[in-house]
Amino acid sequence: NAGVTQTPKFQVLKTGQSMTLQCAQDMNHNSMYWYRQDPGMGLRLIYYSASEGTTDKGEVPNGYNVSRLNKREFSLRLESAAPSQTSVYFCASSELLVRSSNSPLHFGNGTRLTVT
Amino acid sequence: KNEVEQSPQNLTAQEGEFITINCSYSVGISALHWLQQHPGGGIVSLFMLSSGKKKHGRLIATINIQEKHSSLHITASHPRDSAVYICAVRRMDSNYQLIWGAGTKLIIKP
């Protein structure tokens, strides 16, 4: 059972470069999320998708874009990377939005991104 | 002040000890999550609760809604329990899905 698969696991970018983080889930979940995790801080929501075809900003969306390509896939794009975007990025999914349901979150293994 | 505070930030204990990790929050909530982050980075949901107590194996989670406080207990702790334990709350009036604590790093020594 793959669950939530994120790629790549590690990435180093130079300031100004762009990249896309890929995420796919095989649990037929409606909702998907992108979080970033920084030392000493709780997870912060970047963007989320309540269902296929919809995306919404989270707490820290600046500098990022997302695409919900289909029900399985939710990608996160950094158009022009900055050192402040150095972080660990997690994709997650849930059957229904965690804001309004008892659905548990399922996480990918994370992407460690360094921007120099 | 963060809306979700965990204590302690770091905890080191000997194998077999009873472990308690605390989570306090300052907002009205409809549910609270406990998650475990392994040293390799993967995050796993442990519990979601809105009242009372839940038990799974050696793990017990309790919540007191009136006191805005939850605890995660581990009985007969083992080195494989070493991880970061994270508390997150579903706030009643937020658009931000969940509000996350910063985590408690637990190390169990053999």
Side-chain angles (χ1 to χ4, degrees):
Chain A
N1 293 334
V4 180
T5 304
Q6 273 183 252
T7 56
K9 287 190 167 70
F10 302 94
Q11 184 72 49
V12 178
L13 292 177
K14 293 188 189 319
T15 297
Q17 286 185 317
S18 62
M19 79 161 294
T20 300
L21 281 64
Q22 307 286 354
C23 176
Q25 52 91 9
D26 62 3
M27 295 170 284
N28 202 35
H29 284 170
N30 291 298
S31 303
M32 298 184 74
Y33 315 80
W34 276 104
Y35 288 95
R36 60 178 288 172
Q37 185 179 42
D38 299 296
M41 300 181 69
L43 289 167
R44 291 185 292 169
L45 183 64
I46 305 171
Y47 271 92
Y48 68 98
S49 169
S51 59
E52 184 180 356
T54 70
T55 61
D56 284 285
K57 293 178 181 179
E59 303 166 66
V60 289
N62 291 344
Y64 306 95
N65 285 302
V66 290
S67 295
R68 184 76 183 264
L69 303 168
N70 47 55
K71 193 170 186 180
R72 288 187 66 247
E73 298 171 288
F74 188 40
S75 62
L76 178 72
R77 181 157 179 86
L78 286 71
E79 289 292 351
S80 179
S84 60
Q85 294 178 304
T86 293
S87 188
V88 181
Y89 291 85
F90 286 96
C91 177
S93 71
S94 61
E95 188 175 356
L96 299 171
L97 272 182
V98 292
R99 179 177 69 201
S100 50
S101 75
N102 292 330
S103 300
L105 280 167
H106 297 258
F107 284 86
N109 285 332
T111 296
R112 190 172 293 274
L113 175 67
T114 302
V115 183
T116 61
Chain B
K1 189 180 186 302
N2 292 336
E3 290 170 312
V4 178
E5 297 273 2
Q6 287 187 237
S7 63
Q9 285 186 321
N10 296 283
L11 178 58
T12 300
Q14 291 297 130
E15 183 173 356
E17 286 189 38
F18 181 83
I19 303 299
T20 296
I21 297 170
N22 297 300
C23 176
S24 296
Y25 51 90
S26 57
V27 295
I29 70 167
S30 51
L32 182 143
H33 296 250
W34 280 104
L35 305 99
Q36 180 191 54
Q37 184 169 22
H38 296 289
I43 301 174
V44 176
S45 269
L46 297 175
F47 296 103
M48 187 183 58
L49 61 167
S50 53
S51 65
K53 176 169 133 175
K54 286 192 175 179
K55 185 175 188 293
H56 186 260
R58 295 180 293 107
L59 299 177
I60 303 164
T62 65
I63 189 168
N64 185 319
I65 295 288
Q66 287 74 28
E67 293 187 4
K68 293 188 164 64
H69 181 267
S70 174
S71 293
L72 178 69
H73 305 286
I74 305 174
T75 61
S77 59
H78 190 276
R80 65 175 174 265
D81 297 324
S82 297
V84 175
Y85 291 86
I86 303 170
C87 163
V89 301
R90 189 205 313 163
R91 186 174 162 168
M92 282 178 178
D93 59 351
S94 172
N95 287 325
Y96 292 150
Q97 305 305 318
L98 298 177
I99 303 174
W100 297 80
T104 293
K105 184 174 183 180
L106 174 66
I107 297 173
I108 303 296
K109 293 186 173 178

